[in-house]
Amino acid sequence: MGKILAIALNTFKEAVRNKVLYFLLIFALLIMGFSSVISDLSIAAPEKMVIDLGLGAIDFFGFLISVFVGIYLIYNEMERKTIYTIVSKPIDRQQFILGKYFGLLITVYVNIAIMSIFFFTVLYFREATQPDVVTKAIFKELGPGKFESVGNYYVYHVQAFFIAAGKGIATLFGYWEPITHHLLRVVFMSAMSLAIITAFAILYSTFSTPTLSAVFTFLTFIIGNLCEDILRYADKLAQKAGGVAQLVGPDKMKYWFAMVATHITPNLALLDKFSDAVHGPWDAKTPTIHSVPIDWVVVVYGITYVAGVLSLACLIFNRRNFK
Amino acid sequence: MRGSIIRTLILWIFFLGFFGYAVSIQHEELKKVRSNQPFEDNLRLPSSEVLKLTALRYDMVAADLLWIRSIQSFGGRGMTNRDWRPVYDLFDKITDLDPGFEQCYTFGNMVIGDEGGRQKEGLGLINKGMFQFSLLRQYRIPFEGMYVANWQMKDVDKARWYGRIARKRADSPDWVPRIVAYLEVQSGAYYIGFDRFLNNFLLAVDANDIGLQSIALNKLKESVDKWNKSLLNKALDEYTSSTGRLPSRIEDLATMPALKNYEVAEISRLVALCERYLQKLSRPELSDDILTSITLPTQAQMNAPIEDTTNTRNMLGLQNLIFRQCLVKRSGIPEEPNGSHYVLNGTLLGTKPTDERLEVIASENGVREYLQNLLYAFRATIDKRKKELGRTPESLREVFYCDPVTTEPFGGKFQYDPKTGNLRSTSAPDL
Amino acid sequence: MAFRAPGPCPQKTTIMIVIQTEKLSKIYSHDFIDVEYGRIKFNWFRRTVALENLDLEVKEGEIFGLLGPNGAGKSTTIKILMGILFASSGSAKIMGRPLGDKSVKQQIGFLPENPFFYDYLKGEEFLDYYGQLYGLPKSVRRKRIPELFETVGLPAHAPNLPLKGYSKGMLQRIGVAQAIISDPKIVVLDEPQSGLDPLGRKEIRDIILSLKESGKTVFFSSHILSDAELICDRVAIVNRGRLTAMGELGHLLSPKVKEYEVIASGLSKETVENVRRNAVKFIERENDVLVILPEESQARELLAKIVQEKATLVSLTPRKETLEEYFIREVSKAPGESKTAGVAGVR
């Protein structure tokens, strides 16, 4: 365990030196900041825009980080031959794979945490700088239509930003307001799906080059996202032919291919709670916020899936010759 | 060294020459884009299925981006060719991508049905939204359908069907059943219309969109105007049938039963309420741009008590409250919404005009406009006749071969000067 | 750290054999589509024999050199022993245990060829990381790391300098440091001197000798034969994947003097002409002459002349066969007639 941790921490140290990571992170933060501007263009439901874009950015950029950082981790060790010294040490190869996986996961999760804090900060700051809130905060109403200025506009904004940032950090530890209601749960589920994708990135990089690994991981991500659509497509094929038994020729092949593909790739849509965050049913306790239930079966599914993929990665890596 | 300087110079000249030329071409092309009159935005999107697949799990984000695009497209097309068909496709795809986007159904219906005059497509969107949401929520969507069916398609049966669905939704306010009941009577449409445009107006106020505000406010004025006129026309009918003669002034109608203790919405009251609530919510007041040619509120209206606003922070949340407070029970001649007052059009009085635009009862401004048009037509005819005769006609009879108009819209007779050939109005000599 | 024999040891009484390979072979069978360093290769049943029936024995406490030209299979052998590659057939044992045994790996330190380490780590962090991989507790690491910097002779600023700033020689030294961090019984070095300047090579040589002094077995591969000759107790020579010779240096190289090199100045013209006829090699510069003579009698004759003519003898060097010459002789032989007698003699 201590050796896995040592490898994981070293992997994290290596990953944070990857420039791609910072480009992706900065881009994600820009998008979140920009979502506030975009929402002003909308004539209704501006919060929906900010939340949609923010959650989407966290998920997608988390994915990109896990791919672009992950595919190089094992490859670099082989290319630079540092793996020689690691393998000759008294550790198992699976300890190495697990160490790399957890190191990458730590990197991805630290980034998700940063993006989430920024996202919550944007939401709280948006809330605090609504014209009515600002006016209430910096003017005192003396009578109908009579106001007295009690605060500075700019000072208020700077203050609001820091308060929002503080609340944003607190939100990561369970604090919430109606605007951020159950968003942390959505992020949690996103993180779960990223754990699966990260495992795939590691799996592919145990036997192929970075470019191919990236392509494979992207394909897995796409098929995983479209899992349910592909299943529906297969069902439609069967329905058209009048039953699975009636399928012939290429249709039969397509059907079974789709069936296999949907059953072995992860169904990432199970872990997608974006829609619930904006349109979900009302919470039973607090009827003004949408409830995002955590489906523990799905969480168990995610964990077992990761374990399975990592076992396969270890199997491949254990038999691998390093030239 | 010398050679290298010359080469550098040549390269600079090449760079400036080619690049400059390319930029100038681009500038010309951009000019063309700017002068291109019809709004040409590229909305050739793939089918919803393909969009949904390509958006992966981020279809909500894709829907948001298309939604913003659709608003731009709405504005652009509204200013140029007013071709709404592509916008319909856009709304259809947005709601396919994000079926829970309630505002898209209602706004889309407003764009396509109201502005575009394609009520069937608008209703298509409404139906889609209605079945998308559970039967227990979102009364607003079937309510919109009821409005379109009743107000624009004049199909009361269809409107009642939508109304019944709206009434059953859990979130429908108390006045929805009342309005549905009004569908039976003619005036019901005005309630629905007013509420409908109030929704649009408050949405625009929340979004600080001046353009949309003025569109919605004009619609509100129009619906109040029609509402008032329907009452006045009813009173006019009652007056003629009970007394057997025509009224001479609009005030004669004030005692009729149709104008006793009736309920109507007032624009001045709406403006007062909006201003008061905006103030209470500490938000900027309404723009002066939209408050031109409107009946402004009185001081009493401005000081009228308003309700508690702690439950909401945007104006849309106050819609039901404002709607209820805009309605007023009163007797007598109703208030004209455009900052004018109602008068009888003397010219049309007693006639049964087949054209809907010819109104016996109209606002003072409207009647004045009518008079102006009339004078313009008469003068043109006189000029024409003058050329035929080679002299000024002696009387109007010589021009029109009969006595054309006996009464001016504001009362009195037209004065014709045979010497100069000038036609003047006695009631409005400045025209 | 005391050497703990893992399991029963068959040769307890005699000299202990720590590394033993039996008929070790490695055949690279290329995949139909092989992705190698980012390039896709198409292969049609292509196979490369890297190692064929290699039998090696390394005794405890000696410096063993695995020599051979480039591509002979030295690195492949070491990689198989270190568990980086898997042998196609044959077997190998380290300390009487099969390869991949963790308790054995604990006793081995390894420095690969042209090592590239995590260049973002500081020297200290780097050694700490490798110490963790050996499972050394924190207190041991804290004590051992400063010692190691001293042992391998790294400058004082090295611990806090990222490896990116290390010179090639410093990298090689910290590489040795990571190999001996757990105080192993066996130290395996793959081409430890490649790419170093003469001074660096000498320092590595000294380190290897000091490792031997502290009772460690050193197994290293090299193609720099003059260095190997200086320090090795025993060598094995491999060529084209086969063992060509193995044994003690004294046994392998013929002990008799091969030729004599004489440098003298002030010889008469006549004598010079005389000598030139017998010489294998003859160089004349101003007054000096350099002559290489094949026979001892000829050298004696020349010395007598020098005394006679009162010329100056600058140097006289009797030259034995070097490892390099032996090596070239062996390597250029046809594959069949290799000197297996050496191997048998050791047994």
Side-chain angles (χ1 to χ4, degrees), chain B residues 232-302:
Chain B
L232 287 167
N233 280 326
K234 206 168 162 195
L236 179 63
D237 285 348
E238 283 172 356
Y239 185 87
T240 42
S241 57
S242 61
T243 59
R245 57 188 171 82
L246 292 168
S248 54
R249 292 181 309 130
I250 191 105
E251 284 76 17
D252 294 346
L253 304 177
T255 51
M256 287 299 106
L259 292 183
K260 265 197 185 120
N261 211 20
Y262 60 92
E263 191 177 51
V264 76
E266 283 182 358
I267 289 291
S268 59
R269 209 169 264 270
L270 169 72
V271 173
L273 286 167
C274 280
E275 293 282 13
R276 293 294 305 281
Y277 279 120
L278 280 172
Q279 205 177 66
K280 183 126 185 175
L281 291 172
S282 316
R283 292 176 49 133
E285 50 188 31
L286 293 176
S287 161
D288 286 341
D289 293 348
I290 62 159
L291 294 182
T292 50
S293 73
I294 195 167
T295 310
L296 291 170
T298 60
Q299 197 56 45
Q301 277 170 339
M302 282 304 280

Side-chain angles (χ1 to χ4, degrees), chain C residues 205-273:
Chain C
R205 236 162 38 212
D206 293 346
I207 290 174
I208 291 175
L209 285 172
S210 71
L211 288 177
K212 187 197 171 175
E213 264 167 39
S214 56
K216 298 183 199 317
T217 310
V218 181
F219 179 84
F220 78 99
S221 75
S222 180
H223 61 256
I224 301 170
L225 299 162
S226 52
D227 286 340
E229 199 176 347
L230 283 174
I231 53 174
C232 285
D233 295 322
R234 291 199 315 135
V235 295
I237 297 175
V238 285
N239 187 30
R240 293 182 201 162
R242 288 163 177 244
L243 183 69
T244 310
M246 182 166 90
E248 282 169 35
L249 269 177
H251 288 191
L252 286 177
L253 305 179
S254 63
K256 71 176 190 338
V257 176
K258 206 177 123 202
E259 54 196 13
Y260 298 84
E261 185 193 275
V262 183
I263 303 174
S265 70
L267 280 171
S268 71
K269 280 214 170 144
E270 192 193 337
T271 318
V272 170
E273 276 308 307

Side-chain angles (χ1 to χ4, degrees), chain B residues 159-176:
Chain B
R160 209 176 285 137
W161 184 76
Y162 281 112
R164 273 203 296 271
I165 294 173
R167 200 171 54 187
K168 281 178 188 157
R169 300 267 158 136
D171 57 347
S172 78
D174 53 348
W175 45 265
V176 169

Side-chain angles (χ1 to χ4, degrees), chain A residues 43-44, chain B residues 67 70-71 74 84-85 87-92 94-95 101-126 141 144 148 152 196 199-200 203 212:
Chain A
I43 57 162
Chain B
W67 164 250
S70 73
I71 291 165
F74 166 64
W84 308 102
R85 174 69 216 184
V87 192
Y88 169 72
D89 289 343
L90 201 51
F91 286 123
D92 194 34
I94 295 169
T95 49
F101 202 163
E102 60 206 70
Q103 288 88 349
C104 189
Y105 297 108
T106 50
F107 179 77
N109 173 52
M110 189 198 94
V111 170
I112 300 156
D114 286 6
E115 287 293 309
R118 292 167 173 268
Q119 289 89 5
K120 280 202 176 140
E121 281 164 359
L123 277 187
L125 216 51
I126 289 288
I141 296 172
E144 291 273 317
V148 172
Q152 285 180 327
R196 167 75 196 306
N199 177 273
N200 290 344
L203 200 68
L212 210 57

Side-chain angles (χ1 to χ4, degrees), chain B residues 38-57:
Chain B
F39 183 74
E40 290 289 337
D41 54 354
N42 192 354
L43 293 177
R44 280 180 284 276
L45 290 166
S47 70
S48 314
E49 285 85 2
V50 174
L51 270 180
K52 214 168 163 60
L53 289 182
T54 44
L56 298 178
R57 268 180 305 147

Side-chain angles (χ1 to χ4, degrees), chain A residues 209-265:
Chain A
T209 56
T211 324
L212 276 177
S213 305
V215 172
F216 289 153
T217 317
F218 263 98
L219 282 178
T220 310
F221 181 70
I222 289 169
I223 297 177
N225 277 329
L226 302 181
C227 203
E228 293 175 355
D229 296 284
I230 294 172
L231 189 73
R232 271 185 222 117
Y233 164 77
D235 283 347
K236 214 186 264 175
L237 271 183
Q239 208 179 14
K240 222 190 265 172
V244 181
Q246 260 70 39
L247 281 168
V248 279
D251 276 359
K252 189 171 185 176
M253 223 168 71
K254 277 187 214 163
Y255 178 82
W256 287 112
F257 183 78
M259 274 305 173
V260 171
T262 49
H263 280 83
I264 61 171
T265 50

Side-chain angles (χ1 to χ4, degrees), chain A residues 38 42-45 48-49 52-53 56 59-60 127 130-133 135-136 145 221 225-226 272 274 279, chain B residues 53 56-58 60-61 64 67-68 71 98 100-101 103 107 137 203 207 209 212 279 281-283 313:
Chain A
I38 283 186
S42 166
I43 57 162
K48 171 182 154 31
M49 311 265 142
D52 283 354
L53 267 173
D59 190 81
F60 190 64
E127 193 76 346
Q130 292 288 311
D132 55 324
V133 182
T135 323
K136 255 178 207 158
F221 181 70
N225 277 329
L226 302 181
D272 167 6
F274 302 155
H279 302 313
Chain B
L53 289 182
L56 298 178
R57 268 180 305 147
Y58 311 107
M60 307 254 298
V61 178
D64 289 351
W67 164 250
I68 286 165
I71 291 165
D98 183 1
F101 202 163
Q103 288 88 349
F107 179 77
R137 292 202 298 127
L203 200 68
D209 188 328
L212 210 57
Q279 205 177 66
L281 291 172
S282 316
R283 292 176 49 133
R313 34 195 301 202

